[in-house]
Amino acid sequence: MDPLSADPLPAAARLWEDLDEPWREAFRQAWQALRSGNIAVGACASTRYGEIAGSARNRVNDSEGPPGEIFGSALAHAETNVLARLPFGSSRNLVLTTTLQPCLQCAGAIRLGPIATVRFAGPDRYWDGCHDFGRLSAREAQRAQPARIGPRRDELGTFATLIARFGPALTPGFEKALRTLGEGPMADVVHELEDGGEVERLAAMEVNEALGYLWPRLQELTELMPAP
Ligand SMILES: [Zn+2]
């Protein structure tokens, strides 16, 4: 075999290198959320050319936060915190990149915010269908809704959903709902990693290193997850 034809980078490292900076910033924010005992979701607003206008993370368990962000509340989601700091009247042409499919609250905030396009990595079946505001009223049906790109059906999408289930996220009631929606194999991996102390070891790594560490399990889980 020609050694020059062999890919010098493992798949996880290659994927990370190919991401644009808003994607990497969203994942770095999610990792900060994980390390600080929050739900591991991060988000980033950027221009269509990739210039970052702001980024934030989940802060549901924080007792403080930057001015203009919500913390210590069920509303303290990553996307909401990015949007809360964008000035009123900003032109509606930004890209919102988030690690997880937006929930009902964040989908509403994205619709009201200066966002032309939302990109998300991990599927969140719990909130499927909660972005379709055109069905709510005749007026909403008339107006342009933000374009949606996602979820990713690759290992990065699986990684994004998996990390969002660590720590405080997976309450018994939520886990039961997720298992009903086909996320049983992922919940099993969450318990395996948490019970084995691996989440603590992961938190000591950088997010791209954690992606590489989990890669074989992400490949298996990506195969097992239900199709949309
Ligand atoms: Zn949300």
Side-chain angles (χ1 to χ4, degrees):
M1 183 180 159
D2 177 3
L4 290 176
S5 70
D7 192 329
L9 279 178
R14 192 171 65 238
L15 189 154
W16 184 258
E17 283 223 336
D18 287 345
L19 293 175
D20 58 36
E21 191 53 25
W23 270 125
R24 285 196 282 242
E25 174 61 14
F27 274 95
R28 283 192 289 262
Q29 290 287 334
W31 210 240
Q32 252 334 101
L34 176 90
R35 287 170 164 172
S36 55
N38 292 282
I39 297 171
V41 181
C44 176
S46 60
T47 67
R48 74 184 81 169
Y49 308 108
E51 295 152 18
I52 292 176
S55 61
R57 61 171 173 83
N58 182 286
R59 291 183 178 274
V60 291
N61 276 333
D62 281 1
S63 54
E64 57 184 12
E69 292 194 21
I70 305 168
F71 54 85
S73 153
L75 307 184
H77 291 194
E79 304 94 312
T80 295
N81 271 337
V82 170
L83 293 161
R85 295 179 67 176
L86 296 175
F88 178 66
S90 302
S91 59
R92 198 177 285 270
N93 57 10
L94 294 176
V95 178
L96 194 285
T97 301
T98 175
T99 56
L100 189 66
Q101 180 173 333
C103 72
L104 175 64
Q105 168 192 282
C106 292
I110 289 163
R111 157 65 187 82
L112 292 174
I115 303 300
T117 303
V118 56
R119 308 189 297 176
F120 55 98
D124 193 342
R125 287 161 195 83
Y126 192 83
W127 295 110
D128 268 348
C130 290
H131 65 283
D132 197 359
F133 300 114
R135 301 171 77 160
L136 295 181
S137 73
R139 204 193 65 78
E140 278 297 307
Q142 294 294 318
R143 97 163 269 148
Q145 302 290 329
R148 281 163 62 89
I149 302 173
R152 295 177 64 118
R153 300 291 171 192
D154 61 358
E155 288 79 2
L156 188 69
T158 304
F159 177 73
T161 307
L162 178 73
I163 63 175
R165 307 305 188 216
F166 287 151
L170 208 59
T171 60
F174 188 46
E175 178 172 347
K176 194 174 168 201
L178 291 176
R179 286 185 182 276
T180 307
L181 295 167
E183 264 199 34
M186 186 170 279
D188 292 340
V189 171
V190 169
H191 289 302
E192 182 189 313
L193 293 169
E194 288 190 333
D195 297 347
E198 280 179 283
V199 176
E200 281 169 34
R201 288 206 292 282
L202 284 167
M205 302 176 192
E206 295 305 319
V207 63
N208 54 311
E209 295 167 346
L211 179 68
Y213 176 89
L214 289 172
W215 192 262
R217 264 175 286 198
L218 296 173
Q219 285 182 304
E220 282 174 31
L221 269 181
T222 303
E223 297 275 313
L224 288 172
M225 285 293 104

